[in-house]
PDB file of all heavy atoms in Angstrom:
ATOM      1  N   PRO A 712     -27.194 -78.649 104.175  1.00 94.00           N
ATOM      2  CA  PRO A 712     -28.265 -78.199 105.091  1.00 94.00           C
ATOM      3  C   PRO A 712     -28.053 -76.769 105.603  1.00 94.00           C
ATOM      4  O   PRO A 712     -29.020 -76.018 105.791  1.00 94.00           O
ATOM      5  CB  PRO A 712     -28.211 -79.198 106.250  1.00 94.00           C
ATOM      6  CG  PRO A 712     -27.549 -80.402 105.683  1.00 94.00           C
ATOM      7  CD  PRO A 712     -26.609 -79.901 104.645  1.00 94.00           C
ATOM      8  N   ARG A 713     -26.795 -76.374 105.817  1.00 93.00           N
ATOM      9  CA  ARG A 713     -26.500 -75.019 106.283  1.00 93.00           C
ATOM     10  C   ARG A 713     -26.944 -73.989 105.247  1.00 93.00           C
ATOM     11  O   ARG A 713     -27.579 -72.987 105.583  1.00 93.00           O
ATOM     12  CB  ARG A 713     -25.002 -74.869 106.572  1.00 93.00           C
ATOM     13  CG  ARG A 713     -24.618 -73.503 107.154  1.00 93.00           C
ATOM     14  CD  ARG A 713     -23.113 -73.351 107.303  1.00 93.00           C
ATOM     15  NE  ARG A 713     -22.408 -73.395 106.036  1.00 93.00           N
ATOM     16  CZ  ARG A 713     -22.340 -72.388 105.151  1.00 93.00           C
ATOM     17  NH1 ARG A 713     -22.961 -71.267 105.386  1.00 93.00           N
ATOM     18  NH2 ARG A 713     -21.654 -72.525 104.033  1.00 93.00           N
ATOM     19  N   ILE A 714     -26.648 -74.248 103.984  1.00 91.00           N
ATOM     20  CA  ILE A 714     -27.035 -73.310 102.923  1.00 91.00           C
ATOM     21  C   ILE A 714     -28.552 -73.320 102.729  1.00 91.00           C
ATOM     22  O   ILE A 714     -29.165 -72.275 102.516  1.00 91.00           O
ATOM     23  CB  ILE A 714     -26.279 -73.620 101.614  1.00 91.00           C
ATOM     24  CG1 ILE A 714     -24.799 -73.243 101.797  1.00 91.00           C
ATOM     25  CG2 ILE A 714     -26.880 -72.869 100.438  1.00 91.00           C
ATOM     26  CD1 ILE A 714     -23.905 -73.578 100.632  1.00 91.00           C
ATOM     27  N   SER A 715     -29.171 -74.484 102.834  1.00 91.00           N
ATOM     28  CA  SER A 715     -30.643 -74.551 102.734  1.00 91.00           C
ATOM     29  C   SER A 715     -31.307 -73.717 103.832  1.00 91.00           C
ATOM     30  O   SER A 715     -32.298 -73.022 103.583  1.00 91.00           O
ATOM     31  CB  SER A 715     -31.116 -76.001 102.824  1.00 91.00           C
ATOM     32  OG  SER A 715     -30.706 -76.723 101.705  1.00 91.00           O
ATOM     33  N   ALA A 716     -30.750 -73.776 105.028  1.00 91.00           N
ATOM     34  CA  ALA A 716     -31.285 -72.983 106.140  1.00 91.00           C
ATOM     35  C   ALA A 716     -31.106 -71.491 105.868  1.00 91.00           C
ATOM     36  O   ALA A 716     -31.996 -70.685 106.172  1.00 91.00           O
ATOM     37  CB  ALA A 716     -30.601 -73.376 107.450  1.00 91.00           C
ATOM     38  N   ALA A 717     -29.966 -71.122 105.288  1.00 88.00           N
ATOM     39  CA  ALA A 717     -29.728 -69.712 104.974  1.00 88.00           C
ATOM     40  C   ALA A 717     -30.709 -69.223 103.912  1.00 88.00           C
ATOM     41  O   ALA A 717     -31.211 -68.086 103.984  1.00 88.00           O
ATOM     42  CB  ALA A 717     -28.295 -69.512 104.496  1.00 88.00           C
ATOM     43  N   ILE A 718     -31.032 -70.069 102.937  1.00 87.00           N
ATOM     44  CA  ILE A 718     -32.010 -69.703 101.903  1.00 87.00           C
ATOM     45  C   ILE A 718     -33.387 -69.524 102.538  1.00 87.00           C
ATOM     46  O   ILE A 718     -34.097 -68.549 102.261  1.00 87.00           O
ATOM     47  CB  ILE A 718     -32.050 -70.765 100.780  1.00 87.00           C
ATOM     48  CG1 ILE A 718     -30.757 -70.720  99.980  1.00 87.00           C
ATOM     49  CG2 ILE A 718     -33.255 -70.554  99.862  1.00 87.00           C
ATOM     50  CD1 ILE A 718     -30.596 -71.865  98.985  1.00 87.00           C
ATOM     51  N   ALA A 719     -33.763 -70.447 103.405  1.00 88.00           N
ATOM     52  CA  ALA A 719     -35.070 -70.368 104.067  1.00 88.00           C
ATOM     53  C   ALA A 719     -35.176 -69.118 104.922  1.00 88.00           C
ATOM     54  O   ALA A 719     -36.218 -68.432 104.918  1.00 88.00           O
ATOM     55  CB  ALA A 719     -35.294 -71.612 104.916  1.00 88.00           C
ATOM     56  N   GLU A 720     -34.112 -68.792 105.626  1.00 86.00           N
ATOM     57  CA  GLU A 720     -34.108 -67.599 106.481  1.00 86.00           C
ATOM     58  C   GLU A 720     -34.251 -66.334 105.640  1.00 86.00           C
ATOM     59  O   GLU A 720     -35.020 -65.428 105.973  1.00 86.00           O
ATOM     60  CB  GLU A 720     -32.812 -67.547 107.295  1.00 86.00           C
ATOM     61  CG  GLU A 720     -32.740 -66.392 108.261  1.00 86.00           C
ATOM     62  CD  GLU A 720     -31.427 -66.382 109.041  1.00 86.00           C
ATOM     63  OE1 GLU A 720     -30.935 -67.474 109.398  1.00 86.00           O
ATOM     64  OE2 GLU A 720     -30.918 -65.277 109.278  1.00 86.00           O
ATOM     65  N   ALA A 721     -33.527 -66.294 104.516  1.00 83.00           N
ATOM     66  CA  ALA A 721     -33.595 -65.117 103.644  1.00 83.00           C
ATOM     67  C   ALA A 721     -34.966 -65.009 102.986  1.00 83.00           C
ATOM     68  O   ALA A 721     -35.488 -63.903 102.801  1.00 83.00           O
ATOM     69  CB  ALA A 721     -32.502 -65.202 102.582  1.00 83.00           C
ATOM     70  N   ARG A 722     -35.550 -66.145 102.650  1.00 82.00           N
ATOM     71  CA  ARG A 722     -36.883 -66.158 102.027  1.00 82.00           C
ATOM     72  C   ARG A 722     -37.936 -65.601 102.991  1.00 82.00           C
ATOM     73  O   ARG A 722     -38.871 -64.922 102.581  1.00 82.00           O
ATOM     74  CB  ARG A 722     -37.246 -67.584 101.613  1.00 82.00           C
ATOM     75  CG  ARG A 722     -38.481 -67.659 100.739  1.00 82.00           C
ATOM     76  CD  ARG A 722     -38.867 -69.061 100.327  1.00 82.00           C
ATOM     77  NE  ARG A 722     -37.803 -69.752  99.624  1.00 82.00           N
ATOM     78  CZ  ARG A 722     -37.335 -70.951  99.986  1.00 82.00           C
ATOM     79  NH1 ARG A 722     -37.825 -71.586 101.022  1.00 82.00           N
ATOM     80  NH2 ARG A 722     -36.374 -71.519  99.295  1.00 82.00           N
ATOM     81  N   ASP A 723     -37.758 -65.895 104.273  1.00 82.00           N
ATOM     82  CA  ASP A 723     -38.712 -65.434 105.286  1.00 82.00           C
ATOM     83  C   ASP A 723     -38.684 -63.912 105.486  1.00 82.00           C
ATOM     84  O   ASP A 723     -39.595 -63.350 106.089  1.00 82.00           O
ATOM     85  CB  ASP A 723     -38.444 -66.117 106.635  1.00 82.00           C
ATOM     86  CG  ASP A 723     -38.784 -67.604 106.598  1.00 82.00           C
ATOM     87  OD1 ASP A 723     -39.520 -68.025 105.684  1.00 82.00           O
ATOM     88  OD2 ASP A 723     -38.282 -68.339 107.484  1.00 82.00           O
ATOM     89  N   LYS A 724     -37.651 -63.260 104.969  1.00 78.00           N
ATOM     90  CA  LYS A 724     -37.507 -61.814 105.186  1.00 78.00           C
ATOM     91  C   LYS A 724     -38.324 -60.990 104.206  1.00 78.00           C
ATOM     92  O   LYS A 724     -38.274 -59.776 104.236  1.00 78.00           O
ATOM     93  CB  LYS A 724     -36.041 -61.422 105.122  1.00 78.00           C
ATOM     94  CG  LYS A 724     -35.268 -61.963 106.311  1.00 78.00           C
ATOM     95  CD  LYS A 724     -33.858 -61.469 106.347  1.00 78.00           C
ATOM     96  CE  LYS A 724     -33.169 -62.032 107.587  1.00 78.00           C
ATOM     97  NZ  LYS A 724     -31.780 -61.674 107.641  1.00 78.00           N
ATOM     98  N   GLY A 725     -39.029 -61.642 103.308  1.00 73.00           N
ATOM     99  CA  GLY A 725     -39.938 -60.866 102.454  1.00 73.00           C
ATOM    100  C   GLY A 725     -39.588 -60.886 100.995  1.00 73.00           C
ATOM    101  O   GLY A 725     -39.183 -61.898 100.460  1.00 73.00           O
ATOM    102  N   ASP A 726     -39.757 -59.742 100.345  1.00 71.00           N
ATOM    103  CA  ASP A 726     -39.638 -59.578  98.899  1.00 71.00           C
ATOM    104  C   ASP A 726     -38.316 -60.128  98.370  1.00 71.00           C
ATOM    105  O   ASP A 726     -37.244 -59.630  98.707  1.00 71.00           O
ATOM    106  CB  ASP A 726     -39.762 -58.081  98.565  1.00 71.00           C
ATOM    107  CG  ASP A 726     -39.769 -57.827  97.065  1.00 71.00           C
ATOM    108  OD1 ASP A 726     -39.961 -58.788  96.290  1.00 71.00           O
ATOM    109  OD2 ASP A 726     -39.588 -56.651  96.684  1.00 71.00           O
ATOM    110  N   LEU A 727     -38.378 -61.150  97.516  1.00 69.00           N
ATOM    111  CA  LEU A 727     -37.173 -61.798  96.998  1.00 69.00           C
ATOM    112  C   LEU A 727     -36.497 -60.993  95.896  1.00 69.00           C
ATOM    113  O   LEU A 727     -35.306 -61.168  95.642  1.00 69.00           O
ATOM    114  CB  LEU A 727     -37.516 -63.200  96.478  1.00 69.00           C
ATOM    115  CG  LEU A 727     -38.042 -64.199  97.502  1.00 69.00           C
ATOM    116  CD1 LEU A 727     -38.314 -65.547  96.840  1.00 69.00           C
ATOM    117  CD2 LEU A 727     -37.080 -64.367  98.663  1.00 69.00           C
ATOM    118  N   SER A 728     -37.227 -60.102  95.235  1.00 71.00           N
ATOM    119  CA  SER A 728     -36.645 -59.347  94.117  1.00 71.00           C
ATOM    120  C   SER A 728     -35.563 -58.367  94.578  1.00 71.00           C
ATOM    121  O   SER A 728     -34.664 -58.047  93.814  1.00 71.00           O
ATOM    122  CB  SER A 728     -37.731 -58.595  93.358  1.00 71.00           C
ATOM    123  OG  SER A 728     -38.335 -57.635  94.199  1.00 71.00           O
ATOM    124  N   GLU A 729     -35.623 -57.923  95.812  1.00 74.00           N
ATOM    125  CA  GLU A 729     -34.623 -56.977  96.323  1.00 74.00           C
ATOM    126  C   GLU A 729     -33.886 -57.542  97.534  1.00 74.00           C
ATOM    127  O   GLU A 729     -33.344 -56.788  98.332  1.00 74.00           O
ATOM    128  CB  GLU A 729     -35.310 -55.661  96.689  1.00 74.00           C
ATOM    129  CG  GLU A 729     -35.896 -54.954  95.497  1.00 74.00           C
ATOM    130  CD  GLU A 729     -36.595 -53.668  95.884  1.00 74.00           C
ATOM    131  OE1 GLU A 729     -36.379 -53.179  97.006  1.00 74.00           O
ATOM    132  OE2 GLU A 729     -37.354 -53.160  95.052  1.00 74.00           O
ATOM    133  N   ASN A 730     -33.857 -58.852  97.658  1.00 76.00           N
ATOM    134  CA  ASN A 730     -33.247 -59.488  98.820  1.00 76.00           C
ATOM    135  C   ASN A 730     -31.862 -60.023  98.451  1.00 76.00           C
ATOM    136  O   ASN A 730     -31.725 -61.092  97.859  1.00 76.00           O
ATOM    137  CB  ASN A 730     -34.165 -60.620  99.308  1.00 76.00           C
ATOM    138  CG  ASN A 730     -33.753 -61.180 100.644  1.00 76.00           C
ATOM    139  OD1 ASN A 730     -32.583 -61.123 101.008  1.00 76.00           O
ATOM    140  ND2 ASN A 730     -34.712 -61.738 101.369  1.00 76.00           N
ATOM    141  N   SER A 731     -30.822 -59.276  98.807  1.00 82.00           N
ATOM    142  CA  SER A 731     -29.460 -59.672  98.445  1.00 82.00           C
ATOM    143  C   SER A 731     -29.000 -60.902  99.229  1.00 82.00           C
ATOM    144  O   SER A 731     -28.200 -61.688  98.726  1.00 82.00           O
ATOM    145  CB  SER A 731     -28.491 -58.511  98.659  1.00 82.00           C
ATOM    146  OG  SER A 731     -28.465 -58.134 100.024  1.00 82.00           O
ATOM    147  N   GLU A 732     -29.514 -61.080 100.444  1.00 84.00           N
ATOM    148  CA  GLU A 732     -29.160 -62.279 101.221  1.00 84.00           C
ATOM    149  C   GLU A 732     -29.648 -63.530 100.515  1.00 84.00           C
ATOM    150  O   GLU A 732     -28.946 -64.543 100.461  1.00 84.00           O
ATOM    151  CB  GLU A 732     -29.779 -62.222 102.623  1.00 84.00           C
ATOM    152  CG  GLU A 732     -29.080 -61.299 103.579  1.00 84.00           C
ATOM    153  CD  GLU A 732     -29.726 -61.320 104.954  1.00 84.00           C
ATOM    154  OE1 GLU A 732     -30.015 -62.429 105.453  1.00 84.00           O
ATOM    155  OE2 GLU A 732     -29.936 -60.240 105.516  1.00 84.00           O
ATOM    156  N   TYR A 733     -30.848 -63.465  99.971  1.00 85.00           N
ATOM    157  CA  TYR A 733     -31.418 -64.599  99.244  1.00 85.00           C
ATOM    158  C   TYR A 733     -30.575 -64.902  98.000  1.00 85.00           C
ATOM    159  O   TYR A 733     -30.229 -66.049  97.738  1.00 85.00           O
ATOM    160  CB  TYR A 733     -32.865 -64.307  98.851  1.00 85.00           C
ATOM    161  CG  TYR A 733     -33.522 -65.423  98.077  1.00 85.00           C
ATOM    162  CD1 TYR A 733     -33.989 -66.559  98.721  1.00 85.00           C
ATOM    163  CD2 TYR A 733     -33.658 -65.340  96.698  1.00 85.00           C
ATOM    164  CE1 TYR A 733     -34.587 -67.592  98.011  1.00 85.00           C
ATOM    165  CE2 TYR A 733     -34.258 -66.359  95.978  1.00 85.00           C
ATOM    166  CZ  TYR A 733     -34.713 -67.488  96.634  1.00 85.00           C
ATOM    167  OH  TYR A 733     -35.299 -68.515  95.933  1.00 85.00           O
ATOM    168  N   ASP A 734     -30.217 -63.858  97.261  1.00 86.00           N
ATOM    169  CA  ASP A 734     -29.401 -64.043  96.056  1.00 86.00           C
ATOM    170  C   ASP A 734     -28.053 -64.658  96.399  1.00 86.00           C
ATOM    171  O   ASP A 734     -27.577 -65.560  95.711  1.00 86.00           O
ATOM    172  CB  ASP A 734     -29.191 -62.705  95.332  1.00 86.00           C
ATOM    173  CG  ASP A 734     -30.471 -62.157  94.730  1.00 86.00           C
ATOM    174  OD1 ASP A 734     -31.424 -62.949  94.502  1.00 86.00           O
ATOM    175  OD2 ASP A 734     -30.528 -60.930  94.486  1.00 86.00           O
ATOM    176  N   ALA A 735     -27.425 -64.175  97.469  1.00 87.00           N
ATOM    177  CA  ALA A 735     -26.122 -64.703  97.888  1.00 87.00           C
ATOM    178  C   ALA A 735     -26.232 -66.162  98.315  1.00 87.00           C
ATOM    179  O   ALA A 735     -25.372 -66.988  97.978  1.00 87.00           O
ATOM    180  CB  ALA A 735     -25.552 -63.858  99.020  1.00 87.00           C
ATOM    181  N   ALA A 736     -27.278 -66.495  99.050  1.00 88.00           N
ATOM    182  CA  ALA A 736     -27.466 -67.881  99.505  1.00 88.00           C
ATOM    183  C   ALA A 736     -27.726 -68.807  98.323  1.00 88.00           C
ATOM    184  O   ALA A 736     -27.211 -69.933  98.276  1.00 88.00           O
ATOM    185  CB  ALA A 736     -28.609 -67.957 100.510  1.00 88.00           C
ATOM    186  N   LYS A 737     -28.509 -68.357  97.341  1.00 89.00           N
ATOM    187  CA  LYS A 737     -28.778 -69.166  96.148  1.00 89.00           C
ATOM    188  C   LYS A 737     -27.496 -69.368  95.338  1.00 89.00           C
ATOM    189  O   LYS A 737     -27.250 -70.451  94.810  1.00 89.00           O
ATOM    190  CB  LYS A 737     -29.852 -68.513  95.271  1.00 89.00           C
ATOM    191  CG  LYS A 737     -31.258 -68.599  95.815  1.00 89.00           C
ATOM    192  CD  LYS A 737     -31.752 -70.014  95.967  1.00 89.00           C
ATOM    193  CE  LYS A 737     -32.249 -70.582  94.673  1.00 89.00           C
ATOM    194  NZ  LYS A 737     -32.807 -71.936  94.812  1.00 89.00           N
ATOM    195  N   GLU A 738     -26.670 -68.327  95.257  1.00 92.00           N
ATOM    196  CA  GLU A 738     -25.399 -68.449  94.539  1.00 92.00           C
ATOM    197  C   GLU A 738     -24.474 -69.426  95.256  1.00 92.00           C
ATOM    198  O   GLU A 738     -23.820 -70.257  94.630  1.00 92.00           O
ATOM    199  CB  GLU A 738     -24.731 -67.084  94.413  1.00 92.00           C
ATOM    200  CG  GLU A 738     -23.470 -67.136  93.564  1.00 92.00           C
ATOM    201  CD  GLU A 738     -22.846 -65.771  93.343  1.00 92.00           C
ATOM    202  OE1 GLU A 738     -23.586 -64.768  93.312  1.00 92.00           O
ATOM    203  OE2 GLU A 738     -21.621 -65.723  93.209  1.00 92.00           O
ATOM    204  N   ALA A 739     -24.434 -69.344  96.591  1.00 92.00           N
ATOM    205  CA  ALA A 739     -23.607 -70.278  97.375  1.00 92.00           C
ATOM    206  C   ALA A 739     -24.095 -71.711  97.174  1.00 92.00           C
ATOM    207  O   ALA A 739     -23.298 -72.647  97.078  1.00 92.00           O
ATOM    208  CB  ALA A 739     -23.648 -69.903  98.849  1.00 92.00           C
ATOM    209  N   GLN A 740     -25.414 -71.877  97.080  1.00 93.00           N
ATOM    210  CA  GLN A 740     -25.966 -73.215  96.853  1.00 93.00           C
ATOM    211  C   GLN A 740     -25.525 -73.750  95.491  1.00 93.00           C
ATOM    212  O   GLN A 740     -25.132 -74.911  95.363  1.00 93.00           O
ATOM    213  CB  GLN A 740     -27.493 -73.174  96.929  1.00 93.00           C
ATOM    214  CG  GLN A 740     -28.132 -74.535  96.721  1.00 93.00           C
ATOM    215  CD  GLN A 740     -29.643 -74.458  96.676  1.00 93.00           C
ATOM    216  OE1 GLN A 740     -30.204 -73.494  96.129  1.00 93.00           O
ATOM    217  NE2 GLN A 740     -30.288 -75.448  97.244  1.00 93.00           N
ATOM    218  N   GLY A 741     -25.566 -72.903  94.490  1.00 93.00           N
ATOM    219  CA  GLY A 741     -25.130 -73.313  93.149  1.00 93.00           C
ATOM    220  C   GLY A 741     -23.667 -73.710  93.123  1.00 93.00           C
ATOM    221  O   GLY A 741     -23.292 -74.718  92.499  1.00 93.00           O
ATOM    222  N   MET A 742     -22.832 -72.936  93.799  1.00 94.00           N
ATOM    223  CA  MET A 742     -21.393 -73.239  93.857  1.00 94.00           C
ATOM    224  C   MET A 742     -21.140 -74.554  94.587  1.00 94.00           C
ATOM    225  O   MET A 742     -20.316 -75.367  94.172  1.00 94.00           O
ATOM    226  CB  MET A 742     -20.632 -72.097  94.542  1.00 94.00           C
ATOM    227  CG  MET A 742     -20.734 -70.772  93.818  1.00 94.00           C
ATOM    228  SD  MET A 742     -19.968 -70.785  92.197  1.00 94.00           S
ATOM    229  CE  MET A 742     -18.270 -70.677  92.661  1.00 94.00           C
ATOM    230  N   LEU A 743     -21.871 -74.765  95.688  1.00 94.00           N
ATOM    231  CA  LEU A 743     -21.723 -75.999  96.453  1.00 94.00           C
ATOM    232  C   LEU A 743     -22.126 -77.210  95.615  1.00 94.00           C
ATOM    233  O   LEU A 743     -21.414 -78.211  95.578  1.00 94.00           O
ATOM    234  CB  LEU A 743     -22.553 -75.942  97.734  1.00 94.00           C
ATOM    235  CG  LEU A 743     -22.553 -77.224  98.569  1.00 94.00           C
ATOM    236  CD1 LEU A 743     -21.187 -77.423  99.222  1.00 94.00           C
ATOM    237  CD2 LEU A 743     -23.633 -77.188  99.617  1.00 94.00           C
ATOM    238  N   GLU A 744     -23.259 -77.113  94.938  1.00 93.00           N
ATOM    239  CA  GLU A 744     -23.728 -78.229  94.121  1.00 93.00           C
ATOM    240  C   GLU A 744     -22.753 -78.519  92.982  1.00 93.00           C
ATOM    241  O   GLU A 744     -22.518 -79.677  92.630  1.00 93.00           O
ATOM    242  CB  GLU A 744     -25.134 -77.955  93.574  1.00 93.00           C
ATOM    243  CG  GLU A 744     -26.203 -77.913  94.647  1.00 93.00           C
ATOM    244  CD  GLU A 744     -26.301 -79.177  95.486  1.00 93.00           C
ATOM    245  OE1 GLU A 744     -26.070 -80.286  94.968  1.00 93.00           O
ATOM    246  OE2 GLU A 744     -26.602 -79.065  96.686  1.00 93.00           O
ATOM    247  N   MET A 745     -22.145 -77.468  92.426  1.00 94.00           N
ATOM    248  CA  MET A 745     -21.151 -77.660  91.372  1.00 94.00           C
ATOM    249  C   MET A 745     -19.921 -78.387  91.924  1.00 94.00           C
ATOM    250  O   MET A 745     -19.394 -79.301  91.295  1.00 94.00           O
ATOM    251  CB  MET A 745     -20.745 -76.312  90.777  1.00 94.00           C
ATOM    252  CG  MET A 745     -19.779 -76.436  89.611  1.00 94.00           C
ATOM    253  SD  MET A 745     -19.383 -74.850  88.861  1.00 94.00           S
ATOM    254  CE  MET A 745     -18.384 -74.096  90.142  1.00 94.00           C
ATOM    255  N   LYS A 746     -19.478 -77.986  93.108  1.00 94.00           N
ATOM    256  CA  LYS A 746     -18.307 -78.628  93.716  1.00 94.00           C
ATOM    257  C   LYS A 746     -18.593 -80.096  94.032  1.00 94.00           C
ATOM    258  O   LYS A 746     -17.760 -80.969  93.780  1.00 94.00           O
ATOM    259  CB  LYS A 746     -17.895 -77.887  94.986  1.00 94.00           C
ATOM    260  CG  LYS A 746     -16.632 -78.437  95.606  1.00 94.00           C
ATOM    261  CD  LYS A 746     -16.127 -77.571  96.729  1.00 94.00           C
ATOM    262  CE  LYS A 746     -14.816 -78.129  97.238  1.00 94.00           C
ATOM    263  NZ  LYS A 746     -14.180 -77.251  98.208  1.00 94.00           N
ATOM    264  N   ILE A 747     -19.772 -80.388  94.568  1.00 93.00           N
ATOM    265  CA  ILE A 747     -20.149 -81.774  94.858  1.00 93.00           C
ATOM    266  C   ILE A 747     -20.172 -82.587  93.571  1.00 93.00           C
ATOM    267  O   ILE A 747     -19.644 -83.708  93.516  1.00 93.00           O
ATOM    268  CB  ILE A 747     -21.522 -81.831  95.570  1.00 93.00           C
ATOM    269  CG1 ILE A 747     -21.405 -81.282  96.988  1.00 93.00           C
ATOM    270  CG2 ILE A 747     -22.058 -83.268  95.600  1.00 93.00           C
ATOM    271  CD1 ILE A 747     -22.745 -81.081  97.700  1.00 93.00           C
ATOM    272  N   SER A 748     -20.730 -82.018  92.521  1.00 93.00           N
ATOM    273  CA  SER A 748     -20.799 -82.703  91.228  1.00 93.00           C
ATOM    274  C   SER A 748     -19.400 -82.989  90.679  1.00 93.00           C
ATOM    275  O   SER A 748     -19.126 -84.085  90.183  1.00 93.00           O
ATOM    276  CB  SER A 748     -21.592 -81.856  90.247  1.00 93.00           C
ATOM    277  OG  SER A 748     -21.606 -82.436  88.982  1.00 93.00           O
ATOM    278  N   GLN A 749     -18.503 -82.003  90.768  1.00 92.00           N
ATOM    279  CA  GLN A 749     -17.129 -82.191  90.287  1.00 92.00           C
ATOM    280  C   GLN A 749     -16.412 -83.287  91.071  1.00 92.00           C
ATOM    281  O   GLN A 749     -15.708 -84.119  90.489  1.00 92.00           O
ATOM    282  CB  GLN A 749     -16.344 -80.885  90.382  1.00 92.00           C
ATOM    283  CG  GLN A 749     -16.749 -79.864  89.369  1.00 92.00           C
ATOM    284  CD  GLN A 749     -16.054 -78.524  89.577  1.00 92.00           C
ATOM    285  OE1 GLN A 749     -15.579 -78.201  90.661  1.00 92.00           O
ATOM    286  NE2 GLN A 749     -16.001 -77.720  88.519  1.00 92.00           N
ATOM    287  N   LEU A 750     -16.583 -83.296  92.391  1.00 91.00           N
ATOM    288  CA  LEU A 750     -15.943 -84.327  93.214  1.00 91.00           C
ATOM    289  C   LEU A 750     -16.489 -85.712  92.885  1.00 91.00           C
ATOM    290  O   LEU A 750     -15.730 -86.679  92.796  1.00 91.00           O
ATOM    291  CB  LEU A 750     -16.132 -84.020  94.700  1.00 91.00           C
ATOM    292  CG  LEU A 750     -15.279 -82.895  95.265  1.00 91.00           C
ATOM    293  CD1 LEU A 750     -15.737 -82.531  96.671  1.00 91.00           C
ATOM    294  CD2 LEU A 750     -13.811 -83.289  95.277  1.00 91.00           C
ATOM    295  N   LYS A 751     -17.793 -85.809  92.690  1.00 92.00           N
ATOM    296  CA  LYS A 751     -18.397 -87.100  92.346  1.00 92.00           C
ATOM    297  C   LYS A 751     -17.904 -87.589  90.982  1.00 92.00           C
ATOM    298  O   LYS A 751     -17.637 -88.778  90.808  1.00 92.00           O
ATOM    299  CB  LYS A 751     -19.921 -87.012  92.372  1.00 92.00           C
ATOM    300  CG  LYS A 751     -20.486 -86.995  93.773  1.00 92.00           C
ATOM    301  CD  LYS A 751     -21.998 -87.014  93.764  1.00 92.00           C
ATOM    302  CE  LYS A 751     -22.545 -87.157  95.176  1.00 92.00           C
ATOM    303  NZ  LYS A 751     -23.997 -87.247  95.208  1.00 92.00           N
ATOM    304  N   ASP A 752     -17.764 -86.672  90.027  1.00 90.00           N
ATOM    305  CA  ASP A 752     -17.221 -87.046  88.717  1.00 90.00           C
ATOM    306  C   ASP A 752     -15.776 -87.523  88.846  1.00 90.00           C
ATOM    307  O   ASP A 752     -15.381 -88.511  88.230  1.00 90.00           O
ATOM    308  CB  ASP A 752     -17.276 -85.865  87.745  1.00 90.00           C
ATOM    309  CG  ASP A 752     -18.657 -85.606  87.188  1.00 90.00           C
ATOM    310  OD1 ASP A 752     -19.546 -86.470  87.358  1.00 90.00           O
ATOM    311  OD2 ASP A 752     -18.855 -84.529  86.577  1.00 90.00           O
TER     312      ASP A 752
END
């Protein structure tokens, strides 16, 4: 939920093509989902 909130906040700041906060939050989300998947496996 913390990362989802960070993505939503970054999305609200406007143009996503030049939004580094959005890119960083999406990357953090990907890493988190990978870690959860590895632990579940």
Side-chain angles (χ1 to χ4, degrees):
R713 184 185 63 77
I714 290 176
S715 293
I718 291 171
E720 183 180 323
R722 191 180 303 126
D723 291 342
K724 291 186 179 176
D726 185 15
L727 297 181
S728 63
E729 295 179 16
N730 190 333
S731 62
E732 284 181 46
Y733 179 78
D734 292 339
K737 287 298 279 183
E738 185 176 330
Q740 181 185 37
M742 298 295 283
L743 176 71
E744 293 303 326
M745 184 177 70
K746 184 171 184 173
I747 290 171
S748 176
Q749 288 174 338
L750 285 170
K751 284 184 174 183
D752 283 348

